[in-house]
Amino acid sequence: MLEIRYYVKQILNFPTLSVDLQTLSLDAMWFDALLTKRKENLTPIFEKPIDSLTNINSNLNIKATHAILAYVLFDPDSKIPEIDIKKLRTYLLETIPTLCALVNPYTEWMKDAERAEELVRSLFHTLDLLPANETKSYFEDRFRSIDSRERIRILEQTKMAQERAKEILRQMKQKEEEEAASKYNRE
Amino acid sequence: MNRFLESPHAPIWNANIGDRIQKDDFDFVEDFKKVFYDSKKNQTYLGREGAIEYVRKNLYLSTFFQDQLKGIEFAENFESIPFTTREDLQSKITEIIPIGMDLERMVINPTSGTTGKPILAPNHPKAIGCYVPLIEWTVEKYGVIPIHNPKSTFAIQLCYQENTIVYATTHSLAGGAKFAKINLHPHSWKNPNDIETFIKESSPQILTGDPYSLESAMKMSLNYKPEAIHSTALELTTSLREKLREHFHCPVINSYSLNESGPIAYACKTNPEWMHVLPHDIYIEIISSETGEVLPSGNIGEIVVTGGRNPFLPLLRYKTGDRGEFQYGRCSCGDFFPRLRLLSGRKPVYFFKLNGETVNPIDVARILRRNPHIYQFQMEQYTKENFICRVSASNEFLDLPVVSESTKPESNFVTPKNPLQIELKTELENLLGIGSHVKFDTNFPLDGRKQIAFINSYLDTLEKSK
C-alpha cells in the first residue's frame, strides 16, 4: 500500500484535458477500469446503468469526480488491493453526490491539496483501506479533520449554538423588562 | 384580595406580579417540600457524593459543565473542578443554561444591586416557588405556624427606596395566602400616615426586608407586632438585630440568600451569629482566596456553592464572593445541617442628602445597573455634598469628545464631557439631592470580583471627629 501522498499527487495531476465529460460513459469507464484491475470478465458493477441516472449523468462535477476516482483505481502503479464492489457502488452513488455538493466545481479536487487528500481518504475510508505508514486512529483523525461533511456539520452546529445564544440573550433582555415572579424576600 | 388592593390606606400599587405557578410547578414545589422536610427531619444534608451526582446530571445538559469538566476525573477529585466565577455568569450564561430549556418560562427577578457587579440571574417560577417552603420552614423553627388561607396575609416585604415596584398578590403555594411588597418611602403612598394602618389591616404574620428597610420602619416608629421578622440581602449587625427585637417584640431571623441560588442559610435559634445551611440540595465549600484550596472546618475563606434547583442556572463550584467560616457537627437547636458564619458581609451603607435625608444605595445601584454602558461600579460619599462614582464602562462611555484647550481638568477625576456621562451625572445628582456633586473615576477595574459597591467615608470621618 502506497503512502497517501502518492494518491494525492495522482489527483492533483489528473489529466482533465484528456477527458471529454460530455461524452464520457460512466458505465463503460468503470467496467474498463475494473476489468483492467482484475484482469477478468466482470458483470456490470451497477445494478442499472449509471448513465441512465440523470442526477449523476447530467452533473459534470459528479462525472468528473468519478473519472478522477477511476484514474486513481486504474493507475497501473497503484498498490490498491482487491476492493469490495458493493461498497464502491454505494460510495459512488450516495457519498460522491453529497461530497460534490460541498466541493465544487470538480477542479477543486485538483487545485487544493487538502481536498485531493480528502477525496483519497474518503475513498479509502469507504473501502476500509489503510495507507502505508498510518495507524487506523491516525487515518481516522486526519480524515475527520479534513472531511467537508464534518466541517459543515460543525459549522451548522456552531451556527445553531450561536443562534441559541442569541435567542437566550434576547429572551433575557425581554424577561428583564417583563413581569418577575413574586417572592417573600429579596437578595 | 380586592379589599387588600383597594383599601383606602393601600400604597400606590405600581406593578402587577404573581407567583406565576402552573400545575407542573406546583407539583415540583410540593415534591421539593416533601424531600426538604424529610431531609431536615433525617438530617440528610447534600454531601460530596450528592454534589458529584448533581454534576454528573448536568454534565450532559450544559456545555459550560462539559468545558469545565473536560479531562477531569471529577468523581475521584471533586476539588480539581475549576470554579465558576461571577464573571462566568455574566459572560458565559448562554453556555451555562442547559440545552433544551424552555426559555418561555424564564424569569429575571431584579437584583437589589448591593454589590458592584450586577448579575442577571435567570430563574424559573418553580425554583422561586421553592422559597415558600424554605422560608416557611425557617419561621416555623422560630415558632410561627404559617396560615394557608386566602384571608390571611403571610408576609409583607418592606423596602425603603426612592423608586421600586410595589404590588400585592396571593401565593398559590401558600394556600392562597396574601403577600405584598410595599415601599416605606413617602413617595409610595397617597398619605404617608396610611403605612401603619395598611400594615395593621393586612395583619401579616411576618415582615421581611433588608436591614435598611427594617431599621427605617423602626425609626418611623411603626407600631406593629409581627410574629417574626425575616431579614435578608445585607448584613444584619447584632446591635440592629437586638434593637429590632426590642422594638417589634418578636424574633428577628437573619438569613443568607443569593439571587442565583435562592435561600442558603438562616440564623441558628440558639446562636444567631451562626447560620445553618437551609436547603438539602446545596453543597458548600470554603476555599482559600489565595490558593483556591478547600479549607477544613474552622477556617475563614470564600463561600463556594454547588447545586440548588434553579434549572436555568446549575451552579458548579460557584464562587459567591462572600466570605465565611463553616462548621459541621450537632447543634443544640436541633438542626444538624452544617453552620455558616458570614464575615464582612454586605454591610448597609447609607448616603445622605444635604438636607439630612437618607438615600438608599439600592436606588443608586438601580440607576447604575440599568445603564448599559456601566459594567462594574462603586459609589463613595466623601464629603457632605461630594460623591465619586467609580466605574468600569464601555468605550463609548469613556470616550471624550475633543474639548477646547482652555478647559482645565478640575482634578484627577474625569469631568464629564461625554453626553453619556453628563446624562448619568444628572440622574445621580437628582437622586442625591439638590447641591450634590458626582464625579466619575473611570479607572475602576473590571475584574469580576464582588466589589464593595458603596462607601460612605464622609460618615466615617464625622464619626471619627466626634
Side-chain angles (χ1 to χ4, degrees), chain A residues 59-137:
Chain A
N59 187 324
L60 290 187
N61 286 323
I62 296 178
K63 278 183 93 172
T65 307
H66 276 241
I68 294 167
L69 290 165
Y71 181 70
V72 170
L73 287 165
F74 180 74
D75 169 24
D77 294 330
S78 150
K79 298 279 190 296
I80 293 177
E82 188 66 27
I83 52 173
D84 184 336
I85 297 294
K86 206 175 150 194
K87 283 182 181 169
L88 178 67
R89 184 165 58 217
T90 314
Y91 175 68
L92 292 172
L93 294 178
E94 291 172 14
T95 311
I96 289 304
T98 315
L99 272 181
C100 287
L102 303 173
V103 182
N104 59 65
Y106 73 92
T107 44
E108 284 304 300
W109 300 121
M110 294 164 286
K111 285 182 185 163
D112 182 343
E114 197 178 77
R115 296 285 69 74
E117 187 182 347
E118 178 189 354
L119 188 59
V120 178
R121 286 191 185 274
S122 85
L123 176 70
F124 277 35
H125 183 259
T126 306
L127 301 177
D128 294 323
L129 303 173
L130 200 57
N133 305 326
E134 285 188 21
T135 63
K136 196 167 168 34
S137 74

Side-chain angles (χ1 to χ4, degrees), chain B residues 17 29 37 51 76 80 82 97 111 118 169 176 200 244 250 315 327 342-343 351 400-401 403 440 454 466:
Chain B
I17 285 186
V29 180
Y37 272 64
E76 284 72 37
S80 65
I97 294 178
T111 55
T169 186
K200 280 183 171 168
L244 291 171
C250 71
L315 297 174
Q327 249 185 23
L342 280 178
L343 286 165
F351 296 126
L400 290 177
V403 289
F440 291 111
F454 308 108
K466 278 178 193 167

